[in-house]
């Protein structure tokens, strides 16, 4: 069974601060996705990373895939209230017999206070 | 607008009712999924359909019955549910071939279900 641990579970910060959210596993993933989910809505895909060491930027958000493809981080610069939401990481890993499975972390609930 | 549309967005039903959740995807994908999201739990995969065939049933109780008439539509039929089944039910789709190669999935906005 592949597990993804996200930390921190909850994060409350002031507008303008920087933050980093982590997604860790002992398993190797072929790709990893980050989603943001607002209350009452479905998760919205932010980014997919596939190469070890890959860094992708989306405005103030920077995503990094670990060299060994077992972990990832999301860094937000100068957080805004609009960044508030649940951030989910999901990893695609080989589960044997030619099939893959998608594993979700429990999420990091971010609150940005104006 | 993610290309995956779920209806209804909110549903309240009694334990003896029969209702259905509907999902439609406009992305040309071949795989569709039902997930359950409860408070304080990770997303739970319920069912996977690949090219209209059910390829995964994650030990879901029989009071949840999926139906996939074609690659663009997915239903979840609900019958004699329990209050603990109240949750956000998310439909998703991906461009996935029969070998289940794990492409990125795209979610609908979810259907909030309350069982009373």
């Amino acid at each position: 069974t592949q597990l993804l641990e996200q930390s921190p579970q909850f994060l409350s910060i002031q507008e303008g601060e920087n933050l980093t959210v982590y997604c860790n596993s002992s398993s190797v993933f072929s790709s990893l996705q980050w989603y943001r989910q607002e209350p009452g809505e479905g998760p919205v895909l932010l980014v997919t990373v596939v190469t070890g060491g890959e860094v992708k930027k989306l405005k103030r958000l920077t995503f990094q895939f670990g060299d060994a493809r077992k972990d990832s981080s999301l860094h937000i610069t100068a957080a805004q209230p609009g960044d508030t939401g649940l951030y989910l990481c999901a990893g695609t890993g080989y589960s044997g017999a030619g099939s893959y499975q998608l594993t979700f972390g429990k999420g990091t609930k971010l609150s940005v206070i104006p | 607008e993610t290309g995956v549309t779920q209806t209804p967005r909110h549903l309240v039903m009694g334990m003896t009712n029969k209702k259905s959740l509907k999902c439609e995807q406009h992305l040309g994908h071949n795989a569709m999924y039902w997930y359950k999201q409860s408070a304080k739990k990770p997303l739970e995969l319920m069912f996977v359909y690949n090219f209209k065939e059910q390829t995964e049933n994650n030990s879901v109780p029989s009071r949840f019955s999926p139906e996939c008439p074609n690659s663009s539509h997915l239903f979840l039929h609900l019958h004699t549910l329990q209050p603990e089944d109240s949750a956000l039910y998310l439909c998703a789709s991906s461009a996935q071939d029969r070998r289940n190669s794990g492409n990125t999935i795209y979610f609908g906005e979810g259907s909030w279900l309350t069982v009373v």
Side-chain angles (χ1 to χ4, degrees):
Chain A
T1 303
Q2 297 165 337
L3 295 173
L4 269 173
E5 298 288 337
Q6 281 191 246
S7 60
Q9 194 174 351
F10 299 97
L11 187 56
S12 183
I13 61 169
Q14 292 292 134
E15 181 176 359
E17 291 184 348
N18 302 331
L19 67 115
T20 303
V21 174
Y22 300 93
C23 181
N24 295 298
S25 177
S26 58
S27 303
V28 175
F29 294 102
S30 58
S31 67
L32 194 136
Q33 292 88 47
W34 283 95
Y35 295 83
R36 181 172 68 214
Q37 184 178 20
E38 297 188 18
E41 304 290 331
V44 175
L45 178 69
L46 296 174
V47 78
T48 298
V49 286
V50 295
T51 306
E54 182 176 3
V55 176
K56 281 193 174 178
K57 291 194 174 184
L58 187 67
K59 296 183 181 178
R60 294 176 293 100
L61 278 59
T62 302
F63 305 86
Q64 183 161 13
F65 201 13
D67 291 340
R69 291 185 289 138
K70 292 182 180 182
D71 53 85
S72 181
S73 64
L74 158 60
H75 183 78
I76 301 179
T77 305
Q80 304 294 312
D83 296 326
T84 294
L86 179 69
Y87 288 81
L88 294 161
C89 67
T92 299
Y94 185 65
S95 59
S99 66
Y100 293 77
Q101 70 178 47
L102 184 66
T103 303
F104 279 88
K106 289 186 180 181
T108 294
K109 195 167 185 180
L110 171 66
S111 296
V112 182
I113 303 164
Chain B
E1 185 64 45
T2 63
V4 182
T5 305
Q6 290 187 241
T7 54
R9 293 294 316 280
H10 299 271
L11 178 62
V12 179
M13 62 184 288
M15 289 190 285
T16 58
N17 289 161
K18 283 186 183 179
K19 296 285 184 183
S20 296
L21 305 181
K22 179 184 175 183
C23 178
E24 184 175 358
Q25 59 96 359
H26 309 278
L27 301 169
H29 289 164
N30 296 313
M32 296 187 77
Y33 312 78
W34 281 114
Y35 280 86
K36 177 183 177 182
Q37 189 175 36
S38 307
K40 300 181 182 178
K41 286 186 179 180
L43 278 166
E44 298 173 69
L45 178 64
M46 299 174 73
F47 302 104
V48 181
Y49 277 82
N50 224 343
F51 289 90
K52 301 188 299 177
E53 295 176 15
Q54 189 181 123
T55 56
E56 190 160 347
N57 176 338
N58 229 14
S59 303
V60 181
S62 59
R63 56 186 185 269
F64 294 93
S65 174
E67 179 190 358
C68 188
N70 54 61
S71 294
S72 299
H73 294 85
L74 185 65
F75 296 89
L76 187 62
H77 303 301
L78 314 169
H79 178 46
T80 60
L81 296 191
Q82 304 298 312
E84 58 265 28
D85 296 323
S86 299
L88 179 67
Y89 288 85
L90 291 160
C91 174
S93 72
S94 70
Q96 206 170 31
D97 66 21
R98 291 180 183 276
R99 293 169 302 160
N100 193 21
S101 61
N103 291 314
T104 301
I105 69 171
Y106 296 84
F107 288 93
E109 292 180 316
S111 293
W112 273 107
L113 173 66
T114 303
V115 182
V116 297

